[in-house]
Amino acid sequence: MGIGAAAGVSGLAVADRIVRRYGLIPPDHGGLYGPGETLTYAAQRLLTRHSMAREFPRSAISNPPFANGGAPKFTAFLRLQAGGFADWRLAVDGMVAHPVSFSLDDLKGLPMRSQITHLACEEGWSYIAEWIGVPLSSVLEAAGVLPQAKYVVYQSLEPEIWDSVDMADALHPQTLVTFGMNGGELPVGNGGPLRLRVPRQLGYKSVKYLSRLTVTDDITKFGKGLGSVSPEYGYAWYAGM
Ligand SMILES: Nc1nc2c(c(=O)[nH]1)N[C@H]1C(S)=C(S)[C@@H](COP(=O)(O)O)O[C@H]1N2
Ligand SMILES: [Mo]
């Protein structure tokens, strides 16, 4: 073995030790991707923990915004829609001091933020829209996240749809619980009445029809333990851009 190859091996060993020490291993590591996913996540977390997704001027807003799916047709949604979403709730539970449940009006009473960002689907299409909502960090703060928290698992009212982010993304100022788009209500095709926007990651992390947040320090307890359903279908848990 040449000197170069030896240095490469020990470099990887050091990287391995660093990612373990600082909790930089994504939940789907070694599944379908192996070390590549760990290195992408670790590098992004070390270099860009505090970086911001690009925000655009109003003139860049896509008209009309692309909607990946049509209006939802599952029963639980249709029932709530018939009532004007008055009974829609966002439950917050898990590792929190006081589990809470917000109505849409409760959420609209928190300090709002809007941002114009790019939503990119992994399949290639994308659009730019203004997203209006409240920072996920404010919602979590209201419930009192315990210091041991490592992930926020978020669930859609749509069956089988859930995902998670680490605390760096959960508390990031651009991660929003959104209920508005382009100055109006968030259309149901785009996830209305409530959607999590994670603008530093690909579109599939922005789960529509948001109904529940669960704070945890053990992601292996959820689903198949990979952090979301995406890795089961070959998509990375961490979809940072
Ligand atoms: N509940 C739910 N959320 C979802 C999806 C979905 O099918 N159901 N699709 C995801 C994917 S793959 C993408 S690219 C974006 C598309 O968002 P859009 O419909 O606003 O274009 O929503 C994400 N959130
Ligand atoms: Mo997507």
Side-chain angles (χ1 to χ4, degrees), residues 65-70 72 74 119-127 129 131 154-162 181 186-191 194-197 202-210 230 235:
F66 182 84
N68 196 10
F74 53 98
L119 187 146
C121 174
E122 75 292 350
E123 292 182 34
W125 51 75
S126 69
Y127 65 90
W131 300 88
Y154 46 103
Q155 227 170 72
S156 175
L157 195 69
E158 188 173 350
E160 323 267 301
I161 307 274
W162 66 280
M181 178 187 262
L186 180 60
V188 295
N190 296 104
L194 204 63
R195 177 181 198 173
L196 190 70
R197 253 311 264 149
L202 285 172
Y204 62 83
K205 299 295 282 193
S206 290
V207 161
K208 307 177 187 187
Y209 321 119
L210 183 67
S230 309
Y235 297 104

